[in-house]
């Protein structure tokens, strides 16, 4: 149990997918202007990564390995992720039109979000068991949500701050992201 807990802490804080691997930078910069859309995107990413990881894990172990076609994992994973994102998009559009509108183009971009594919492949490459895969598949997007939420709070404050014209928008946001990555690097000795 302690091993699973340390694995979760490492995925959320120490090896954060945005701040250490720079995966998912498109939604990180695009959706982080408002906290409501940042939380919506974070929850959607959690749902997609969890669902896609469970399906890809099962497909890999019970279909690809059994048939001896493990080399098809990349194309299989991409198809599963694309299908899952379409399902998520339809679900959000039906049950939360306001969130669907605020996420805009970034919702379908979850399909091309390398973080989703990274987690699915990492679960296989690290040879995780089912429980470890579940912990990893929940912790990584939880770290994504945490960083996205903190960053959106920072961006809302930066929008009201007296920022020089040349620094307004993405320049100051990228500097803030770099400082945030530096702050999160302080967790490195935790686990």
């Amino acid at each position: 149990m302690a091993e699973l807990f340390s694995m979760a802490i490492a995925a959320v804080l120490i090896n954060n997918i945005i701040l250490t691997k720079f995966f998912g930078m498109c939604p990180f910069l695009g959706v982080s202007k408002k906290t409501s859309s940042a939380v919506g995107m974070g929850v959607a990413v959690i749902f997609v990564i969890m669902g896609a990881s469970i399906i890809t894990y099962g497909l890999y172990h019970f279909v690809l390995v059994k048939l001896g076609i493990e080399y098809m994992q990349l194309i299989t994973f991409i198809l599963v992720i694309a299908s899952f994102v379409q399902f998520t998009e339809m679900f959000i559009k039906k049950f939360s039109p306001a969130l669907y509108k605020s996420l805009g183009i970034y919702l379908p971009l979850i399909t091309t979000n390398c973080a989703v594919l990274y987690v699915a492949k990492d679960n296989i490459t690290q040879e995780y068991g089912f429980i470890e895969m579940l912990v990893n598949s929940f912790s990584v997007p939880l770290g994504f949500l945490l960083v996205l939420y903190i960053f959106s709070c920072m961006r809302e404050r930066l929008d009201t701050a007296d920022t020089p014209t040349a620094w307004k928008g993405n320049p100051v946001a990228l500097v803030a992201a770099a400082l945030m990555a530096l702050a999160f690097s302080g967790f490195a000795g935790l686990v």
Side-chain angles (χ1 to χ4, degrees):
M1 192 63 153
E3 185 178 311
L4 293 175
F5 182 72
S6 66
M7 181 179 166
I9 293 296
V12 172
L13 297 175
I14 300 166
N15 300 320
N16 188 283
I17 198 157
I18 292 177
L19 300 177
T20 60
K21 295 177 178 51
F22 305 110
F23 291 154
M25 291 302 287
C26 182
F28 178 67
L29 290 174
V31 183
S32 61
K33 292 179 183 170
K34 286 194 270 180
T35 55
S36 60
S37 57
V39 169
M41 175 60 86
V43 170
V45 168
I46 288 174
F47 179 72
V48 169
I49 288 181
M50 282 293 295
S53 293
I54 291 169
I55 294 169
T56 55
Y57 186 85
L59 278 173
Y60 180 80
H61 287 287
F62 298 116
V63 177
L64 299 179
V65 171
K66 297 276 188 213
L67 296 174
I69 54 172
E70 295 93 343
Y71 58 89
M72 294 291 290
Q73 74 175 336
L74 186 62
I75 191 83
T76 306
F77 290 4
I78 290 171
L79 289 172
V80 166
I81 291 165
S83 302
F84 219 80
V85 169
Q86 287 301 311
F87 171 74
T88 306
E89 185 177 3
M90 290 185 309
F91 182 82
I92 291 174
K93 187 176 185 179
K94 179 157 177 79
F95 292 105
S96 181
L99 178 60
Y100 178 78
K101 188 175 181 179
S102 73
L103 293 177
I105 187 66
Y106 295 102
L107 187 58
L109 282 179
I110 295 175
T111 304
T112 58
N113 187 344
C114 49
V116 181
L117 183 60
Y118 167 78
V119 173
K121 287 205 44 86
D122 191 45
N123 289 332
I124 302 302
T125 325
Q126 297 294 329
E127 298 178 357
Y128 289 145
F130 187 74
I131 300 298
E132 293 168 317
M133 179 273 301
L134 287 177
V135 169
N136 188 53
S137 299
F138 182 73
S139 302
V140 170
L142 185 64
F144 181 87
L145 170 64
L146 175 71
V147 168
L148 196 59
Y149 178 75
I150 293 170
F151 190 61
S152 68
C153 292
M154 290 170 63
R155 285 195 75 176
E156 284 183 352
R157 300 273 318 256
L158 286 170
D159 284 345
T160 60
D162 187 25
T163 310
T165 307
W167 284 85
K168 283 197 183 291
N170 282 339
V172 74
L174 289 170
V175 170
L179 293 172
M180 202 167 142
L182 243 146
F184 267 67
S185 71
F187 292 120
L190 191 63
V191 177

